[in-house]
């Protein structure tokens, strides 16, 4: 197996993981867990960017998508309900 | 509650999206060999002129292609991106106007997480800031730049906020107003750097462009691309430093505003306007 094939294989696997994590983030009704799934997807994307040789994007993607963005969403979840559709049933 | 039918629709649409995307790639939507063996014309041009002492009139004279593009070749674009980010923060501050957040007399030692977490945070804080500074200050030489460094630096106050509480960091000087001042200094620096070549050229009476970095055909004034043999990339280094300050302070303002307890906002709303002048 050539190194190129190996890297393409890893990319494919990481892409698959990101799709699954995205699906779980959409389906999850516990918003805290949804944020964690979204962070997993972001982590996988950071690896993909690195393997695609875009270190500039990796450096901005890791703090923003893995650190700052989940933190902001967690702050917002703290201000609202943790479970989706808890008190929004009547509209 | 979601029904099974809705779940099915979500699952099928995601699977369809992935399959169609792979189909497009498989039938050659991006060419049959990936990555394409031929570099596109514009890419090869950038690679040629990013650091090229033999074509000074076109070159940005910084070895990092991405930073050269971001702050030189398409510098105005980045300036307005910074403006958009600044407007978003102005919007958040305007929404939270009048909310002071209450300097309650609290024992901050009891707030926040455990002593272990606090000690680890104290140690890792310096490392985070060092990494952020190196990303920004080397942005014209290695991958990275102002926004990257600023976003990394903003992680430090965020961690402090979570681990130590808002009262702790506000007591130690990281307040909305000091961050606003820092952010204004950063933006002022970006503005001045955009005009610096014009100012230098005006002194000698030569024509110059706004947002100029290296000398051009009809504007012979330019920033030095090296000082004592160390590459500076002309204006790029200054843009990176000021952008880091502006972005880090801007993110910190957002976190400080989000960390204000909900009761404070409700109190203001009940008072109908609050105590802002």
């Amino acid at each position: 197996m050539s190194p190129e094939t190996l890297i393409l294989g890893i990319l494919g696997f990481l892409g698959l993981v990101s799709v699954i994590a995205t699906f779980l983030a959409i389906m999850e009704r516990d918003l805290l867990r949804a944020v964690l799934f979204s962070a997993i997807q972001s982590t996988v994307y950071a690896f993909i960017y690195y393997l695609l040789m875009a270190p500039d994007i990796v450096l901005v993607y890791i703090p923003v998508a893995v650190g700052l963005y989940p933190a902001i969403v967690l702050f917002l979840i703290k201000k609202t309900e943790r479970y989706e559709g808890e008190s929004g049933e009547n509209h | 509650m979601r029904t099974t039918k809705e779940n099915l629709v979500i699952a099928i649409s995601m699977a369809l999206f992935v399959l169609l995307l792979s189909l497009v790639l498989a039938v050659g939507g991006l060419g049959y060999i990936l990555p394409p063996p031929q570099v596109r014309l514009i890419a090869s041009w950038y690679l040629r002129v990013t650091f090229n002492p033999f074509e000074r009139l076109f070159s940005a004279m910084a070895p990092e292609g991405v930073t050269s593009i971001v702050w030189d070749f398409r510098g105005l674009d980045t300036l307005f991106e910074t403006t958009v980010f600044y407007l978003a923060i102005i919007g958040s501050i305007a929404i939270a106007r009048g909310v002071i957040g209450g300097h309650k007399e609290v024992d901050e030692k009891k707030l926040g997480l455990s002593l272990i977490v606090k000690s680890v945070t104290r140690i890792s804080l310096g490392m985070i800031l060092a990494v952020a500074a190196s990303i920004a200050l080397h942005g014209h030489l290695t991958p990275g730049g102002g926004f990257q460094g600023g976003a990394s630096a903003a992680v430090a106050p965020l961690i402090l906020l979570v681990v130590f509480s808002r009262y702790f960091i506000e007591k130690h000087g990281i307040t909305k107003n000091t961050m606003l001042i820092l952010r204004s200094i950063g933006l002022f620096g970006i503005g001045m750097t955009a005009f610096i070549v014009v100012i230098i050229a005006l002194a000698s009476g030569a024509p110059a462009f706004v947002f100029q970095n290296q000398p051009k055909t009809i504007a012979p004034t330019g920033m030095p691309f090296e000082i004592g043999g160390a590459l500076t990339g002309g204006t790029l280094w200054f843009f990176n430093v000021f952008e880091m300050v502006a972005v880090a302070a801007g993110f910190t303002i957002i976190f400080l505003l989000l960390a204000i307890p909900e009761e404070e906002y409700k109190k203001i709303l009940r008072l109908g306007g609050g105590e802002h002048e």
Side-chain angles (χ1 to χ4, degrees), chain A residues 29 81-89:
Chain A
R29 287 187 60 244
E81 289 104 11
R82 183 173 164 180
Y83 293 94
E84 196 181 323
E86 203 169 49
S87 62
E89 298 287 80

Side-chain angles (χ1 to χ4, degrees), chain B residues 28-252:
Chain B
L30 289 177
Y32 288 98
I33 306 161
L34 285 175
Q38 293 250 301
V39 181
R40 281 185 304 150
L41 200 61
I42 187 165
S44 67
W45 172 254
Y46 280 137
L47 288 173
R48 203 176 107 198
V49 298
T50 291
F51 185 82
N52 194 339
F54 305 107
E55 290 190 63
R56 282 295 303 276
L57 290 180
F58 298 106
S59 177
M61 297 308 284
E64 226 280 290
V66 176
T67 305
S68 309
I69 290 172
V70 163
W71 280 119
D72 189 333
F73 296 127
R74 46 148 267 187
L76 272 179
D77 217 338
T78 313
L79 181 75
F80 286 110
E81 275 172 17
T82 308
T83 318
V84 169
F85 187 60
Y86 187 49
L87 285 177
I89 285 164
I90 288 181
S92 328
I93 295 170
I95 287 172
R97 68 190 180 282
V99 183
I100 285 137
H103 279 279
K104 277 186 283 186
E105 281 308 311
V106 283
D107 187 11
E108 82 226 3
K109 286 211 172 66
K110 283 181 188 151
L111 289 171
L113 304 180
S114 72
L115 186 65
I116 300 171
V117 182
K118 283 183 179 175
S119 309
V120 171
T121 307
R122 281 204 176 93
I123 296 165
S124 56
L125 197 71
M127 299 185 204
I128 294 172
L129 291 177
V131 167
S134 86
I135 289 174
L137 299 180
H138 284 203
H140 58 294
L141 301 174
T142 50
F147 190 86
Q148 286 91 327
S152 307
V155 174
L158 169 68
I159 290 179
L160 278 184
L161 193 66
V162 174
V163 172
F164 285 94
S165 83
R166 190 169 58 84
Y167 303 105
F168 179 85
I169 69 167
E170 291 202 333
K171 209 175 132 194
H172 285 74
I174 308 179
T175 61
K176 191 188 90 185
N177 286 338
T178 50
M179 286 299 119
L180 211 54
I181 292 168
L182 264 186
R183 182 160 176 111
S184 304
I185 290 172
L187 285 172
F188 180 74
I190 291 173
M192 286 311 289
T193 314
F195 280 103
I196 190 161
V197 173
V198 177
I199 294 168
I200 295 171
L202 274 182
S204 61
F209 296 109
V210 176
F211 237 95
Q212 190 182 341
N213 181 5
Q214 295 302 314
K216 302 281 174 253
T217 327
I218 57 162
T221 322
M223 291 288 281
F225 67 91
E226 58 164 3
I227 294 173
L231 293 169
T232 61
T235 52
L236 302 185
W237 188 84
F238 296 96
F239 276 131
N240 277 340
V241 171
F242 288 125
E243 175 85 354
M244 177 180 93
V245 173
V247 168
F251 270 123
T252 312

Side-chain angles (χ1 to χ4, degrees), chain A residues 26-27 56 59-60 72 79 84, chain B residues 7 64 143-144 147 258 260:
Chain A
I26 295 174
M27 299 304 290
D56 290 87
L59 285 175
V60 76
I72 286 183
K79 289 179 188 283
E84 196 181 323
Chain B
N7 288 348
E64 226 280 290
F147 190 86
L258 279 174
I260 295 173

